[in-house]
mmCIF file of all heavy atoms in Angstrom:
data_model
loop_
_atom_site.group_PDB
_atom_site.id
_atom_site.type_symbol
_atom_site.label_atom_id
_atom_site.label_comp_id
_atom_site.label_asym_id
_atom_site.label_seq_id
_atom_site.Cartn_x
_atom_site.Cartn_y
_atom_site.Cartn_z
ATOM 1 N N LEU N 502 -1.623 -10.466 -13.749
ATOM 2 C CA LEU N 502 -1.374 -11.845 -13.337
ATOM 3 C C LEU N 502 -2.564 -12.508 -12.653
ATOM 4 O O LEU N 502 -2.741 -13.713 -12.770
ATOM 5 C CB LEU N 502 -0.162 -11.906 -12.391
ATOM 6 C CG LEU N 502 1.162 -11.391 -12.951
ATOM 7 C CD1 LEU N 502 2.270 -11.550 -11.910
ATOM 8 C CD2 LEU N 502 1.543 -12.108 -14.247
ATOM 9 N N ARG N 503 -3.345 -11.756 -11.908
ATOM 10 C CA ARG N 503 -4.429 -12.367 -11.139
ATOM 11 C C ARG N 503 -5.572 -12.803 -12.047
ATOM 12 O O ARG N 503 -5.893 -12.133 -13.026
ATOM 13 C CB ARG N 503 -4.945 -11.381 -10.086
ATOM 14 C CG ARG N 503 -3.968 -11.171 -8.960
ATOM 15 C CD ARG N 503 -4.330 -10.006 -8.081
ATOM 16 N NE ARG N 503 -5.530 -10.217 -7.304
ATOM 17 C CZ ARG N 503 -5.961 -9.369 -6.369
ATOM 18 N NH1 ARG N 503 -5.280 -8.262 -6.122
ATOM 19 N NH2 ARG N 503 -7.056 -9.625 -5.688
ATOM 20 N N ARG N 504 -6.200 -13.935 -11.675
ATOM 21 C CA ARG N 504 -7.302 -14.458 -12.466
ATOM 22 C C ARG N 504 -8.552 -14.721 -11.620
ATOM 23 O O ARG N 504 -9.668 -14.517 -12.088
ATOM 24 C CB ARG N 504 -6.894 -15.767 -13.163
ATOM 25 C CG ARG N 504 -5.812 -15.585 -14.231
ATOM 26 C CD ARG N 504 -6.296 -14.739 -15.390
ATOM 27 N NE ARG N 504 -5.339 -14.703 -16.480
ATOM 28 C CZ ARG N 504 -4.336 -13.827 -16.576
ATOM 29 N NH1 ARG N 504 -4.171 -12.902 -15.629
ATOM 30 N NH2 ARG N 504 -3.510 -13.862 -17.605
ATOM 31 N N THR N 505 -8.394 -15.209 -10.383
ATOM 32 C CA THR N 505 -9.579 -15.517 -9.572
ATOM 33 C C THR N 505 -10.455 -14.288 -9.418
ATOM 34 O O THR N 505 -11.675 -14.356 -9.511
ATOM 35 C CB THR N 505 -9.160 -16.032 -8.182
ATOM 36 O OG1 THR N 505 -8.224 -17.093 -8.353
ATOM 37 C CG2 THR N 505 -10.368 -16.532 -7.408
ATOM 38 N N GLN N 506 -9.807 -13.163 -9.201
ATOM 39 C CA GLN N 506 -10.506 -11.882 -9.081
ATOM 40 C C GLN N 506 -9.803 -10.895 -10.000
ATOM 41 O O GLN N 506 -8.625 -10.596 -9.822
ATOM 42 C CB GLN N 506 -10.451 -11.402 -7.630
ATOM 43 C CG GLN N 506 -11.039 -10.025 -7.396
ATOM 44 C CD GLN N 506 -10.817 -9.575 -5.959
ATOM 45 O OE1 GLN N 506 -10.578 -10.374 -5.074
ATOM 46 N NE2 GLN N 506 -10.885 -8.279 -5.741
ATOM 47 N N ALA N 507 -10.507 -10.414 -11.008
ATOM 48 C CA ALA N 507 -9.897 -9.527 -11.994
ATOM 49 C C ALA N 507 -9.830 -8.088 -11.473
ATOM 50 O O ALA N 507 -10.796 -7.574 -10.908
ATOM 51 C CB ALA N 507 -10.682 -9.567 -13.296
ATOM 52 N N ILE N 508 -8.685 -7.461 -11.679
ATOM 53 C CA ILE N 508 -8.499 -6.040 -11.385
ATOM 54 C C ILE N 508 -8.147 -5.373 -12.702
ATOM 55 O O ILE N 508 -7.023 -5.516 -13.214
ATOM 56 C CB ILE N 508 -7.354 -5.820 -10.370
ATOM 57 C CG1 ILE N 508 -7.590 -6.598 -9.083
ATOM 58 C CG2 ILE N 508 -7.163 -4.331 -10.093
ATOM 59 C CD1 ILE N 508 -8.690 -6.062 -8.220
ATOM 60 N N VAL N 509 -9.093 -4.692 -13.311
ATOM 61 C CA VAL N 509 -8.888 -4.086 -14.633
ATOM 62 C C VAL N 509 -9.377 -2.639 -14.613
ATOM 63 O O VAL N 509 -10.562 -2.379 -14.395
ATOM 64 C CB VAL N 509 -9.615 -4.881 -15.738
ATOM 65 C CG1 VAL N 509 -9.411 -4.227 -17.102
ATOM 66 C CG2 VAL N 509 -9.123 -6.333 -15.766
ATOM 67 N N ARG N 510 -8.465 -1.709 -14.807
ATOM 68 C CA ARG N 510 -8.729 -0.266 -14.844
ATOM 69 C C ARG N 510 -9.496 0.186 -13.590
ATOM 70 O O ARG N 510 -10.502 0.889 -13.669
ATOM 71 C CB ARG N 510 -9.472 0.144 -16.107
ATOM 72 C CG ARG N 510 -8.724 -0.160 -17.396
ATOM 73 C CD ARG N 510 -9.193 0.747 -18.531
ATOM 74 N NE ARG N 510 -8.430 1.992 -18.596
ATOM 75 C CZ ARG N 510 -8.754 3.035 -19.367
ATOM 76 N NH1 ARG N 510 -9.850 2.997 -20.100
ATOM 77 N NH2 ARG N 510 -8.004 4.115 -19.383
ATOM 78 N N LEU N 511 -8.989 -0.196 -12.460
ATOM 79 C CA LEU N 511 -9.566 0.190 -11.178
ATOM 80 C C LEU N 511 -8.849 1.439 -10.660
ATOM 81 O O LEU N 511 -7.644 1.415 -10.416
ATOM 82 C CB LEU N 511 -9.429 -0.954 -10.173
ATOM 83 C CG LEU N 511 -9.960 -0.703 -8.763
ATOM 84 C CD1 LEU N 511 -11.441 -0.351 -8.786
ATOM 85 C CD2 LEU N 511 -9.711 -1.916 -7.876
ATOM 86 N N ARG N 512 -9.589 2.531 -10.526
ATOM 87 C CA ARG N 512 -8.991 3.794 -10.072
ATOM 88 C C ARG N 512 -9.001 3.845 -8.548
ATOM 89 O O ARG N 512 -10.047 3.805 -7.909
ATOM 90 C CB ARG N 512 -9.754 4.990 -10.636
ATOM 91 C CG ARG N 512 -9.176 6.338 -10.152
ATOM 92 C CD ARG N 512 -9.750 7.490 -10.933
ATOM 93 N NE ARG N 512 -11.202 7.446 -10.950
ATOM 94 C CZ ARG N 512 -11.957 8.079 -11.859
ATOM 95 N NH1 ARG N 512 -11.385 8.779 -12.816
ATOM 96 N NH2 ARG N 512 -13.272 8.000 -11.815
ATOM 97 N N LEU N 513 -7.810 3.930 -7.976
ATOM 98 C CA LEU N 513 -7.666 3.950 -6.529
ATOM 99 C C LEU N 513 -7.753 5.382 -6.001
ATOM 100 O O LEU N 513 -7.644 6.348 -6.753
ATOM 101 C CB LEU N 513 -6.331 3.329 -6.121
ATOM 102 C CG LEU N 513 -6.030 1.935 -6.685
ATOM 103 C CD1 LEU N 513 -4.757 1.391 -6.068
ATOM 104 C CD2 LEU N 513 -7.194 0.989 -6.463
ATOM 105 N N ASP N 514 -7.924 5.477 -4.693
ATOM 106 C CA ASP N 514 -8.030 6.784 -4.042
ATOM 107 C C ASP N 514 -6.688 7.313 -3.551
ATOM 108 O O ASP N 514 -6.618 8.399 -2.974
ATOM 109 C CB ASP N 514 -8.992 6.697 -2.850
ATOM 110 C CG ASP N 514 -10.429 6.447 -3.283
ATOM 111 O OD1 ASP N 514 -10.749 6.760 -4.439
ATOM 112 O OD2 ASP N 514 -11.212 5.938 -2.461
ATOM 113 N N ASP N 515 -5.608 6.559 -3.752
ATOM 114 C CA ASP N 515 -4.289 6.981 -3.280
ATOM 115 C C ASP N 515 -3.762 8.169 -4.068
ATOM 116 O O ASP N 515 -4.024 8.306 -5.277
ATOM 117 C CB ASP N 515 -3.292 5.825 -3.401
ATOM 118 C CG ASP N 515 -3.695 4.631 -2.561
ATOM 119 O OD1 ASP N 515 -4.134 4.841 -1.418
ATOM 120 O OD2 ASP N 515 -3.567 3.499 -3.053
ATOM 121 N N VAL N 516 -2.994 9.008 -3.386
ATOM 122 C CA VAL N 516 -2.346 10.159 -4.006
ATOM 123 C C VAL N 516 -0.862 9.843 -4.179
ATOM 124 O O VAL N 516 -0.151 9.610 -3.193
ATOM 125 C CB VAL N 516 -2.509 11.433 -3.156
ATOM 126 C CG1 VAL N 516 -1.764 12.604 -3.797
ATOM 127 C CG2 VAL N 516 -3.989 11.769 -2.985
ATOM 128 N N LEU N 517 -0.408 9.810 -5.438
ATOM 129 C CA LEU N 517 0.990 9.525 -5.750
ATOM 130 C C LEU N 517 1.629 10.721 -6.432
ATOM 131 O O LEU N 517 0.945 11.525 -7.069
ATOM 132 C CB LEU N 517 1.105 8.301 -6.656
ATOM 133 C CG LEU N 517 0.620 6.957 -6.101
ATOM 134 C CD1 LEU N 517 0.773 5.875 -7.154
ATOM 135 C CD2 LEU N 517 1.383 6.591 -4.838
ATOM 136 N N GLU N 518 2.944 10.806 -6.309
ATOM 137 C CA GLU N 518 3.695 11.895 -6.927
ATOM 138 C C GLU N 518 4.945 11.322 -7.582
ATOM 139 O O GLU N 518 5.734 10.633 -6.921
ATOM 140 C CB GLU N 518 4.082 12.930 -5.873
ATOM 141 C CG GLU N 518 4.805 14.137 -6.438
ATOM 142 C CD GLU N 518 5.137 15.169 -5.368
ATOM 143 O OE1 GLU N 518 4.768 14.966 -4.197
ATOM 144 O OE2 GLU N 518 5.779 16.181 -5.709
#
Side-chain angles (χ1 to χ4, degrees):
L502 301 181
R503 289 168 68 173
R504 293 295 187 272
T505 308
Q506 175 186 340
I508 304 289
V509 179
R510 299 204 89 190
L511 179 58
R512 179 168 52 200
L513 308 187
D514 293 337
D515 299 318
V516 177
L517 297 178
E518 183 178 358

